[in-house]
Amino acid sequence: MIMSTAATEPLGRMAAMLRIRRFEEQCIRLAQAGQFRGHYHIYIGQEATAVAACAALVAEDFVFTTWRNHGHMLARGAAPERMLAEILGKAGGYAGGKSGTLHLAVRDLGILSTSALVGGTLPLATGAALACKQRGSGITVCFFGDAALEEGALYEAMILASLWQVPILFVCENNTMPPGQRARGQSPSSRLPANRLADIPEALRVTSEEVDGADADALNECLARLAAQVRSSGGPRYVEVHSGRWPGNFLSWPDLPGGEWQIAWAFGQQSDHADLAAWLEQSDPLNRYLRKLVAAGTLDRAQAEAMDERARAEMAGAVRFALDSPYPPPDEAYQHVYAQGGQAR
Amino acid sequence: MKITFAEGLAKALYESLAADPRVLLIGSNFMGLNTAAKQLMNPLVSEFSNRIMAAPVSELGLAGAGIGAAMAGRRPVVDINTGSFIFQAFAQVVNEAANVHYMSGGQTSAPVTFYCLAGIRGGGGAQHSHRTQAMLGQVPGLQILTPGSADDAYYLMKWALLESRNPTVFLSHSLLFGETAELVPGAQMLPVGQARIRREGRDVSIIASSITVMRAMAAADELEHKHGISAEVVDLRTIAPLDENTVLQSVARTGRAVIADECHRRFGVAAEIAAILAEEGLALLKAPVRRVTVPDVPIPYSPTLEAELIVTKERIVTGVLRVMGR
Ligand SMILES: Cc1ncc(C[n+]2csc(CCOP(=O)(O)OP(=O)(O)O)c2C)c(N)n1
Ligand SMILES: [Mg+2]
C-alpha cells in the first residue's frame, strides 16, 4: 500500500520522519549485534527529503533510489518488517534475501530495482520516465547522492531527459561534508570542483533549484511544486537538497553517537555529545520540525511522546518479525536468474 | 620477514613509489572497507602526496587518465576499488588500454595497472562480488594478475608498477588480506607467467588462483589426513599469461585434475584450463577433469544463499573425491 498521502499534513509528516529515524536506529543496533553483515547506509538526517518527495507522488509513479534507500522505501509505504527481514537476508524480505540493504526494492510501490552503483540509477530512471511519457501517465523520481555528479552516467542521463523531455524529478541529496569537518580527516562523499552544483543541470536546460534539507516545510513546498511541474509540463526538473551530514556517518561504519534520538532534545535538553548537539541544532530536520510544531501549538510533548511510542513499537515489531523470519533455503539461490516463460533456451 | 597480503600490497606500492619517480597513484584506497589495513597506507600517503591523485567516483575517467598518462611515459596504478566497479571503466580498459600497442603497430604501449578488490567477499550481493578474470581473459593485450598469497601480492604488484610494459589488471581479494607468507629479503621473484607448485602430490592436481589457492591448500591437508589422498596444488598466479606447461606437467605426474576457480562455470578460467587439458593432456588423464566453480547465478546477499555458491574447501574436497572415484 502506498502511504504517502498520510504524510501531506504536518502531523503525518512528523510521524513519517520519526518512523524512519526509529527504523534506522534499529538497523544500526542489528548490525552492531552481528545480525547482518556487509556495508550498509543510514538515512538519519535526510528523512524530510524522502517524506516530502513521496508525499508528492501517486500510485502509478516510479521511484529510484540508491544504497541509502531505507528512508525512501519507508516514505513510499514499504513495510518495515519486510525491509528489515531483507536487510538480514531472510526469506520474509521483499527479495527473499537476494537483495539485502543495498538493493531494496518493491515493484508494487513503483520501486523497480535499486542499484548500488554511484550514478547507476540515473539512466534507468530516465528510461522509466520515458515509459511514463509513452504510456501517457505518471512521473519518475530519482534520488541520488552528490557523488553521482562525479559519474559520466549522470550527464548522459540528464542530456536524454532534457532532449526527450521526459517527466522526471532528479533529487540530488547532497550530504557531503563541509570543509571544516574534512580537515579532521573525514572524507567528503564528493570532491566536485564546481561553485554551484545546481548550475550543472541548468547548462543542459534542466531547471534546477536548491533547498535546505533540514527545513521540512521548505522541502515540502519545493518538492510538491516541482513534482507538479514535472507532471504538468512532462519535462525534467532538478533539485539539490543540502543536508548537514549526521555525525553517525562520519566513520566508515554507521554508529549512534550520543545514543538514540531523544524527544527531550526538542524540549531544551542537550545531547552531551558535542558533534551531535551541534548537528541537532542546525541540521536535524526531525529536531527542528518537532520544535517548530510545538512552538506553533500543533503538537504538545505528550502527543509527541505518544507518536514516538507508536513508531518505536512498530519498529520493535519489525525487528521481531525479521529475527523470527527463517533464512531462505539454499536452493533459492538458483531461482530468478531468468524470468520464466518466453525466454530463449 | 613474515608479511600479510595487505602489508605486501602496501609495501610494494611504497617501494615502487620510492624506486621510480614515474610511478603514480590514481586513487589511494586499495584496502576497501578494512579500516585496519587502511592504516598501512599512511606512510605512503604522507610521503608521496605529490604523486597521489585525488579520485572522485569517476571510474571511466580515472581509468582513461591512467592509460593516457601511461602512454605518455608515467607508470600509474588506478585504484578501481571494488572489482565490480571496473565495469564503469570497461570502455577504457577493454577498448582503449588493451588495444593501444596493437593498433599503433607497436609504437605506443600503456603500462598502466588497474587495481581491483574483486571477488565474493561476504554480503557484497550481486553488484559488489564480481570476479572479472575470465571476462578480461577474453581481451588480448591485458595482463591479469591473480595473487593468492602475501608474497605474490608484493612481488606481482611491484612487477606491475616497475617492470611491466603492458596494461595490467591486478585482482586483489579482501578475504586474502590476512593471509601471511615469509618474504625473504633480496629473494628473486618467480617470473611472471610461471605458476607455482604450492604443494607436491601424487594422486591429483588441484589447480587454483587468487582466493581458491588457500582453500585448495586446506583441502589438500584434509585429503591427506582424512582420505589418504596426496594432492598437488598448482597456484596459477596469473591468468594472462597462463602457464600451460606447469599445469600439464603437474597433471602428467598425477593423472587427475580438479580446477578450483571463483569465476562462474560457463566460459570461466576453469573452463579454459579444462580445454587445455582436453587438447593437450587427454592422454595424461586417468579420470575426467572436474571444475569446482561458482554456479551461473548472480551472487545473492543472504548468507545461506551465498554459501550455496562459493568455492569452499569442502567443495574442493568433494570434487577431488569424485575424480578419485570415491
Ligand atoms: C560506481 C561506483 N563506484 C564506487 C562506489 C562506492 N561507493 C559507495 S557509496 C559511495 C559514495 C557515494 O556518495 P554519494 O553519492 O554522495 O551518496 P551518499 O552515500 O553520501 O548518500 C561510493 C563511492 C559505488 N557504489 N559505485
Ligand atoms: Mg553524499
Side-chain angles (χ1 to χ4, degrees):
Chain A
M1 181 190 44
I2 292 174
M3 306 200 325
S4 52
T5 45
T8 49
E9 33 72 49
L11 291 182
R13 290 213 292 276
M14 179 69 210
M17 286 163 58
L18 198 48
R19 287 176 75 238
I20 298 172
R21 181 70 49 102
R22 294 308 184 203
F23 178 94
E24 294 293 50
E25 289 172 349
Q26 293 291 355
C27 190
I28 294 173
R29 295 254 183 260
L30 288 166
Q32 291 181 343
Q35 290 292 342
F36 69 98
R37 61 198 181 141
H39 211 33
Y40 67 106
H41 305 79
I42 291 297
Y43 199 64
I44 291 179
Q46 297 174 227
E47 294 93 338
T49 307
V51 169
C54 290
L57 301 183
V58 298
E60 64 184 350
D61 296 337
F62 295 121
V63 174
F64 284 80
T65 168
T66 67
W67 51 92
R68 203 179 294 288
N69 57 52
H70 303 170
H72 309 128
M73 299 280 303
L74 284 168
R76 184 68 171 150
E81 66 276 14
R82 296 204 59 198
M83 289 171 59
L84 275 181
E86 186 59 50
I87 291 167
L88 266 51
K90 298 294 192 71
Y94 277 113
K98 288 218 172 71
S99 84
T101 169
L102 291 180
H103 315 298
L104 278 177
V106 188
R107 164 100 210 176
D108 288 347
L109 300 177
I111 306 169
L112 305 179
S113 175
T114 298
S115 172
L117 296 167
V118 175
T121 47
L122 278 105
L124 306 178
T126 302
L130 173 62
C132 291
K133 182 178 175 132
Q134 293 282 314
R135 76 184 182 190
S137 71
I139 69 170
T140 297
V141 171
C142 181
F143 296 101
F144 54 95
D146 41 293
L149 283 114
E150 298 178 337
E151 289 282 5
L154 173 138
Y155 299 86
E156 300 188 17
M158 235 180 277
I159 289 165
L160 297 178
S162 183
L163 200 61
W164 294 344
Q165 284 296 300
V166 296
I168 185 164
L169 177 55
F170 293 109
V171 181
C172 174
E173 296 190 67
N174 189 345
N175 60 0
T176 198
M177 288 189 178
Q181 284 166 10
R182 289 180 204 182
R184 301 198 326 237
Q186 288 138 352
S187 63
S189 61
S190 58
R191 314 154 186 277
L192 291 148
N195 291 324
R196 199 175 156 270
L197 296 183
D199 287 343
I200 292 172
E202 291 281 348
L204 298 170
R205 294 210 204 171
V206 177
T207 309
S208 82
E209 62 187 81
E210 295 168 85
V211 62
D212 177 1
D215 185 339
D217 281 332
L219 270 166
N220 206 54
E221 183 283 320
C222 171
L223 286 161
R225 176 170 42 80
L226 293 181
Q229 283 175 13
V230 170
R231 221 175 277 285
S232 61
S233 73
R237 292 288 184 280
Y238 184 104
V239 62
E240 181 186 357
V241 182
H242 294 274
S243 295
R245 182 175 284 224
W246 168 59
N249 270 342
F250 279 2
L251 301 168
S252 300
W253 296 88
D255 193 10
L256 281 175
E260 286 174 1
W261 186 80
Q262 307 285 324
I263 291 271
W265 289 336
F267 291 91
Q269 203 169 308
Q270 274 253 335
S271 163
D272 43 21
H273 188 285
D275 279 339
L276 188 67
W279 178 83
L280 287 165
E281 194 63 36
Q282 292 150 24
S283 307
D284 181 9
L286 191 59
N287 200 48
R288 284 180 45 171
Y289 199 53
L290 178 55
R291 276 198 212 167
K292 190 170 174 180
L293 294 185
V294 170
T298 316
L299 188 70
D300 64 21
R301 183 161 181 164
Q303 287 169 305
E305 276 165 0
M307 184 185 273
D308 189 31
E309 210 34 65
R310 282 194 295 279
R312 283 173 182 274
E314 183 189 11
M315 298 315 158
V319 169
R320 274 194 305 278
F321 175 90
L323 290 174
D324 289 347
S325 177
Y327 283 107
D331 269 5
E332 246 327 287
Y334 304 95
Q335 301 302 313
H336 311 305
V337 181
Y338 296 96
Q340 293 303 303
Q343 83 273 29
R345 284 269 164 207
Chain B
M1 177 182 41
K2 208 171 194 127
I3 57 160
T4 64
F5 191 97
E7 284 166 352
L9 287 175
K11 184 173 161 65
L13 292 167
Y14 184 95
E15 290 178 6
S16 301
L17 281 160
D20 187 339
R22 296 172 303 170
V23 173
L24 187 65
L25 265 56
I26 298 184
S28 57
N29 178 0
F30 288 87
M31 303 301 176
L33 299 168
N34 188 325
T35 27
K38 267 184 196 166
Q39 307 305 315
L40 298 169
M41 298 294 288
N42 290 346
L44 172 166
V45 170
S46 57
E47 214 167 309
F48 300 104
S49 56
N50 59 330
R51 280 189 278 145
I52 298 179
M53 308 311 295
V57 194
S58 313
E59 293 84 0
L60 184 80
L62 297 174
I67 300 162
M71 292 193 296
R74 301 286 115 181
R75 300 192 62 89
V77 50
V78 181
D79 180 10
I80 298 286
N81 280 295
T82 301
S84 301
F85 305 157
I86 201 170
F87 300 132
Q88 323 304 102
F90 246 38
Q92 295 286 325
V93 174
V94 172
N95 215 358
E96 305 291 353
N99 284 333
V100 162
H101 193 64
Y102 197 79
M103 289 194 308
S104 69
Q107 297 178 81
T108 300
S109 62
V112 54
T113 301
F114 305 104
Y115 173 85
C116 302
L117 209 39
I120 304 175
R121 67 189 190 193
Q127 288 188 323
H128 290 74
S129 302
H130 291 92
R131 297 77 55 217
T132 50
Q133 48 270 55
M135 285 182 219
L136 292 167
Q138 279 273 320
V139 184
L142 293 182
Q143 301 168 149
I144 303 165
L145 314 184
T146 50
S149 64
D151 48 339
D152 272 341
Y154 169 76
Y155 287 127
L156 293 177
M157 180 58 89
K158 261 192 107 165
W159 175 84
L161 293 191
L162 297 178
E163 292 176 52
S164 163
R165 300 212 46 218
N166 295 293
T168 301
V169 181
F170 186 105
L171 292 168
S172 180
H173 201 302
S174 52
L175 297 187
L176 280 172
F177 276 6
E179 283 296 290
T180 57
E182 201 59 43
L183 200 65
V184 183
Q188 279 288 310
M189 169 183 78
L190 189 65
V192 171
Q194 218 167 299
R196 187 196 299 273
I197 307 292
R198 292 239 161 233
R199 172 191 170 117
E200 293 186 355
R202 292 179 312 274
D203 300 327
V204 59
S205 300
I206 309 178
I207 297 142
S209 59
S210 182
I211 189 72
T212 60
V213 173
M214 65 180 204
R215 295 175 185 163
M217 292 295 282
D221 266 348
E222 182 169 320
L223 286 161
E224 181 182 330
H225 294 122
K226 280 203 192 154
H227 304 279
I229 293 170
S230 165
E232 178 150 305
V233 176
V234 181
D235 173 0
L236 293 172
R237 299 173 71 234
T238 66
I239 298 304
L242 185 62
D243 183 358
E244 301 186 11
N245 284 341
T246 300
V247 170
L248 287 165
Q249 283 158 13
S250 174
V251 175
R253 284 191 293 275
T254 62
R256 297 179 186 87
V258 169
I259 311 148
D261 179 48
E262 213 189 28
C263 292
H264 288 297
R265 187 172 182 78
R266 299 243 185 258
F267 312 106
V269 171
E272 178 60 26
I273 305 280
I276 290 166
L277 287 171
E279 274 184 353
E280 312 289 338
L282 203 56
L284 310 171
L285 288 167
K286 298 177 197 155
V289 300
R290 227 178 152 88
R291 289 177 281 169
V292 184
T293 53
V294 175
D296 295 314
V297 307
I299 306 305
Y301 170 77
S302 180
T304 52
L305 304 183
E306 192 194 76
E308 170 70 13
L309 306 178
I310 50 190
V311 177
T312 56
K313 173 191 78 172
E314 290 72 21
R315 294 198 169 103
I316 298 171
V317 167
T318 305
V320 169
L321 293 177
R322 289 276 297 266
V323 300
M324 297 299 295
R326 299 213 202 152

